[in-house]
Amino acid sequence: MTGKRTDYLSWDEYFMAVALLSGHRSKDPNTQVGACVANSQNKIVGVGYNGFPWRCSDDELPWAREGAYLDTKYPYVCHAELNAVLNSISFDLRDCRLYVALFPCNECTKVIIQAGIREIIYLSDKYKDTDSVRAAKIMLDKSNTIYRQFFPSRQVVTLNFQVD
Ligand SMILES: O=c1[nH]c(=O)n([C@H]2C[C@H](O)[C@@H](COP(=O)(O)O)O2)cc1CO
Ligand SMILES: [Zn+2]
């Protein structure tokens, strides 16, 4: 009997929680996506969330989903996975895992594979019926990149800024 806590976060819960927390930085009013890259030693090497590129003001570019293409967010927004890879401390993410709230699109999937990431752990697959996600899965299967949905054993992790 060591007296060890038993309700501590598993590695999967921890990295997914970091991904979700990062998503709270997103200004997207509809979908906030966070991503976290962990290496084979369980060290975090990159985090990201969806947002506009550096120096492109959040107050000037549109967050709309509909309308003329150039008047929507889609041509401008950097996806969380892209930012997590670009923000990472190493250019070489060989054998790393990517934790992400939403299944990656085909464009992020190319970046993920080229960076050397070997496993994707995701929560939601809400766009699974789109060609983008279908193409992503074709590339992931061909490149032997593992992907698995995360089914947490707890529904909520609470953060309390009030510590004693
Ligand atoms: O894998 C992803 N990663 C990611 O960061 N995103 C971002 C782009 C947009 O800001 C938002 C998706 O917006 P919407 O659900 O309103 O179409 O999520 C979207 C996807 C899936 O396409
Ligand atoms: Zn993407």
Side-chain angles (χ1 to χ4, degrees):
M1 176 65 182
T2 62
K4 182 172 85 168
R5 273 180 69 218
T6 53
D7 62 343
Y8 58 89
L9 296 177
S10 68
W11 285 119
D12 274 355
E13 288 171 332
Y14 173 54
F15 296 128
M16 190 58 86
V18 170
L20 291 175
L21 182 65
S22 307
H24 281 252
R25 282 278 312 147
S26 174
K27 320 276 187 351
D28 191 321
N30 193 54
T31 305
Q32 302 84 39
V33 187
C36 173
V37 182
N39 71 13
S40 51
Q41 295 173 289
N42 286 326
K43 294 179 180 173
I44 293 174
V45 293
V47 288
Y49 56 89
N50 53 327
F52 295 135
W54 273 355
R55 299 191 298 280
C56 297
S57 167
D58 287 300
D59 300 320
E60 289 166 18
L61 288 176
W63 279 115
R65 306 181 73 228
E66 279 158 18
Y69 185 57
L70 292 183
D71 296 333
T72 69
K73 63 186 169 182
Y74 296 108
Y76 311 110
V77 70
C78 298
H79 288 191
E81 303 92 315
L82 177 69
N83 280 332
V85 169
L86 292 176
N87 291 343
S88 64
I89 54 173
S90 161
F91 193 66
D92 183 356
L93 299 180
R94 245 176 295 182
D95 299 329
C96 287
R97 278 125 60 208
L98 178 109
Y99 290 80
V100 63
L102 186 58
F103 200 97
C105 73
N106 62 313
E107 293 299 333
C108 289
T109 294
K110 297 174 198 173
V111 172
I112 291 165
I113 295 170
Q114 295 303 71
I117 290 171
R118 290 306 306 273
E119 185 173 4
I120 296 167
I121 301 97
Y122 61 96
L123 274 178
S124 162
D125 199 5
K126 72 173 176 172
Y127 293 130
K128 64 177 184 302
D129 294 328
T130 63
D131 281 346
S132 172
V133 170
R134 286 194 193 101
K137 287 175 182 167
I138 289 171
M139 290 185 279
L140 293 171
D141 289 340
K142 289 194 183 300
S143 63
N144 290 322
T145 309
I146 302 163
Y147 50 92
R148 62 180 165 91
Q149 192 161 21
F150 180 54
F151 297 102
S153 48
R154 67 182 97 209
Q155 293 309 307
V156 174
V157 174
T158 307
L159 292 178
N160 192 343
F161 280 124
Q162 266 182 322
V163 290
D164 15 72

